[in-house]
Amino acid sequence: MKESAAKTRILTVASKLFYEQGYNSTGINQIIDEADIARGSLYNHFPSKLDLLSAYIEQAENLWFTALETYLVPIKDPRSKLLAIFDFREEEQSKIAFRGCQFAKVMAELSKDDLRIFEQVSREKDKLKLYIKNLLAQIDLKNPSALTSDMICEAIFLLLEGSTVAASLYKGEASIKNAKTIVAALL
Amino acid sequence: MKESAAKTRILTVASKLFYEQGYNSTGINQIIDEADIARGSLYNHFPSKLDLLSAYIEQAENLWFTALETYLVPIKDPRSKLLAIFDFREEEQSKIAFRGCQFAKVMAELSKDDLRIFEQVSREKDKLKLYIKNLLAQIDLKNPSALTSDMICEAIFLLLEGSTVAASLYKGEASIKNAKTIVAALL
DNA sequence: GTCTATAGCTGGATAGAC
DNA sequence: GTCTATCCAGCTATAGAC
């Protein structure tokens, strides 16, 4: 059930370009040039550019989550694991010049009518929230802030998203480090 | 020193379209159609599309900040003022179907080389942080979380940004309400 | 399944009349 | 300063040969 080499190459190239240049600014022409395949082949595998975007999102979701889990494997303590999510994001973002969250970037470019993509992205974010929630359940919260466990989960999630946006604005890791400090105070 | 009516109309129409459809997805043709001016007039007032974007950002900054300050005038207590920033954002976003932060949207669409725009936006965000900081200075923090005043300022800022992104993803106000709850626990 | 050729449009920007 | 006419490069998508 191996996918064609052409299809894989298209998706690889498109992922890179969608993220680096944006979806709207990346043309089919550039994709077929860099992937070195023919126009017709692309439309054979992906009926439209939006289908290609959808495939990119799906792949990126899987890759991102797998990378996060792998990063956290050596860390045993759940509290440290939660804090390390911010280290992971910092490393990841600094490698790519603080271009921001892949999914947030796509959403910002889409028309509000492209519901399919919005749902895909929100499913991914829900997966992350669930992952955070499970880690929180293993912690004996000292709870200095009188927030419920669910609300602390939300805080971690929002601080992660917010600090990524801020880091991409300021082109530096300071916001992500700050978010980690704030979360540490909440746990 | 009144600006020409044409220029004003161009900027009004462009602002609306840039925000509703995105910068890249809005063409010069559509702008001149809806503003009902001639192609040449647009290029007379704005040498390039990027100059028009820059003018939009500048105007949006001023309008947004003025609207926030006006919203907060009737509220006297500084702690309530801080929390009301989230009410303001919620009202503002619900009016526009949770399309997200104007500035974040633009940044997500830009090439990383458009430094001029990045700097414009970061100046705006700095203004907001300073405003938050001044309000915080008037509060006697009970400080349950052992965070410095500067770090609480950062937390408010990051939660505001993060919850706006999340609200635009989920198309609802829940994230913004949650962010307010979290901030209330920090103050 | 992969190719080339091209349709059909729209993009941003310019020239030159008035 | 505002207009119309137009350039040319780019876009997404399709047709039809191999």
Side-chain angles (χ1 to χ4, degrees):
Chain A
M1 200 54 190
K2 173 176 166 305
E3 297 200 295
S4 91
K7 186 169 184 176
T8 305
R9 212 157 56 246
I10 293 167
L11 194 50
T12 304
V13 169
S15 297
K16 175 174 163 286
L17 295 178
F18 284 166
Y19 185 50
E20 291 183 359
Q21 310 180 340
Y23 172 70
N24 285 320
S25 308
T26 300
I28 295 289
N29 294 324
Q30 194 184 2
I31 296 173
I32 63 175
D33 279 359
E34 298 199 13
D36 201 34
I37 46 96
R39 199 165 214 77
S41 295
L42 189 150
Y43 281 96
N44 178 49
H45 291 295
F46 303 97
S48 77
K49 195 190 176 189
L50 208 62
D51 288 298
L52 183 51
L53 176 67
S54 181
Y56 154 63
I57 296 283
E58 194 185 322
Q59 196 195 45
E61 279 179 12
N62 294 331
L63 290 177
W64 186 83
F65 213 79
T66 303
L68 173 66
E69 287 183 312
T70 304
Y71 185 90
L72 296 182
V73 162
I75 301 163
K76 296 302 169 197
D77 172 49
R79 187 174 181 277
S80 306
K81 259 187 152 73
L82 280 171
L83 293 173
I85 296 175
F86 290 86
D87 299 329
F88 173 69
R89 171 124 302 179
E90 184 186 328
E91 285 186 25
E92 163 203 50
Q93 287 293 312
S94 85
K95 266 183 221 149
I96 53 174
F98 298 98
R99 257 193 296 271
C101 170
Q102 298 168 291
F103 310 111
K105 273 181 85 77
V106 166
M107 282 173 28
E109 279 196 87
L110 287 181
S111 143
K112 64 175 158 49
D113 309 320
D114 300 320
L115 295 175
R116 180 165 133 231
I117 309 288
F118 274 89
E119 280 164 23
Q120 247 185 308
V121 173
S122 67
R123 251 184 287 121
E124 153 69 20
K125 298 295 184 187
D126 286 339
K127 221 166 91 181
L128 172 61
K129 276 196 204 178
L130 187 63
Y131 187 78
I132 293 172
K133 193 165 296 190
N134 285 335
L135 285 173
L136 272 173
Q138 300 168 39
I139 298 183
D140 183 25
L141 289 168
K142 54 183 192 236
N143 207 8
S145 55
L147 287 168
T148 65
S149 175
D150 274 5
M151 207 51 93
I152 291 181
C153 172
E154 183 81 353
I156 296 173
F157 175 72
L158 295 179
L159 286 166
L160 188 64
E161 294 300 313
S163 66
T164 307
V165 171
S168 112
L169 170 60
Y170 291 113
K171 299 289 172 215
E173 72 288 338
S175 306
I176 301 176
K177 282 191 195 301
N178 288 341
K180 185 184 175 187
T181 302
I182 295 158
V183 169
L186 290 176
L187 293 178
Chain B
M1 200 47 190
K2 172 175 165 306
E3 298 200 295
S4 91
K7 186 170 183 176
T8 305
R9 214 157 55 245
I10 293 167
L11 193 51
T12 304
V13 168
S15 297
K16 176 174 162 287
L17 295 177
F18 285 166
Y19 184 50
E20 290 183 1
Q21 311 180 341
Y23 172 71
N24 285 321
S25 307
T26 301
I28 295 289
N29 294 323
Q30 193 183 3
I31 296 172
I32 63 175
D33 278 359
E34 298 200 14
D36 201 33
I37 46 96
R39 200 165 211 78
S41 295
L42 189 149
Y43 281 97
N44 179 47
H45 291 296
F46 304 98
S48 78
K49 194 189 176 191
L50 208 62
D51 289 297
L52 183 51
L53 176 67
S54 180
Y56 154 62
I57 296 283
E58 194 184 323
Q59 195 194 43
E61 278 180 13
N62 294 331
L63 290 178
W64 186 84
F65 213 79
T66 304
L68 173 66
E69 287 183 313
T70 305
Y71 185 91
L72 297 181
V73 162
I75 301 162
K76 296 302 170 199
D77 171 50
R79 186 174 182 278
S80 306
K81 259 187 151 71
L82 279 172
L83 293 173
I85 296 175
F86 289 87
D87 298 330
F88 173 70
R89 172 125 301 181
E90 184 187 329
E91 285 186 26
E92 164 202 52
Q93 287 293 312
S94 86
K95 267 184 221 148
I96 53 174
F98 298 98
R99 257 192 296 271
C101 171
Q102 300 168 290
F103 310 110
K105 272 180 85 77
V106 165
M107 282 172 27
E109 280 196 84
L110 287 180
S111 142
K112 64 176 158 46
D113 309 320
D114 300 319
L115 295 175
R116 180 164 133 230
I117 309 289
F118 274 89
E119 279 165 22
Q120 247 184 308
V121 173
S122 68
R123 251 184 287 120
E124 153 69 20
K125 298 296 184 189
D126 286 339
K127 221 167 91 180
L128 172 61
K129 275 196 203 178
L130 188 62
Y131 187 79
I132 293 172
K133 193 166 295 190
N134 284 336
L135 285 173
L136 273 173
Q138 300 168 39
I139 299 183
D140 183 25
L141 289 167
K142 54 184 195 242
N143 207 7
S145 55
L147 288 168
T148 65
S149 174
D150 274 5
M151 207 51 92
I152 291 180
C153 171
E154 182 80 354
I156 295 173
F157 175 73
L158 296 178
L159 286 166
L160 188 64
E161 294 299 314
S163 65
T164 307
V165 172
S168 111
L169 171 59
Y170 291 113
K171 299 292 173 212
E173 72 288 337
S175 306
I176 301 176
K177 283 192 196 299
N178 288 341
K180 185 184 174 186
T181 302
I182 295 158
V183 169
L186 290 177
L187 293 179

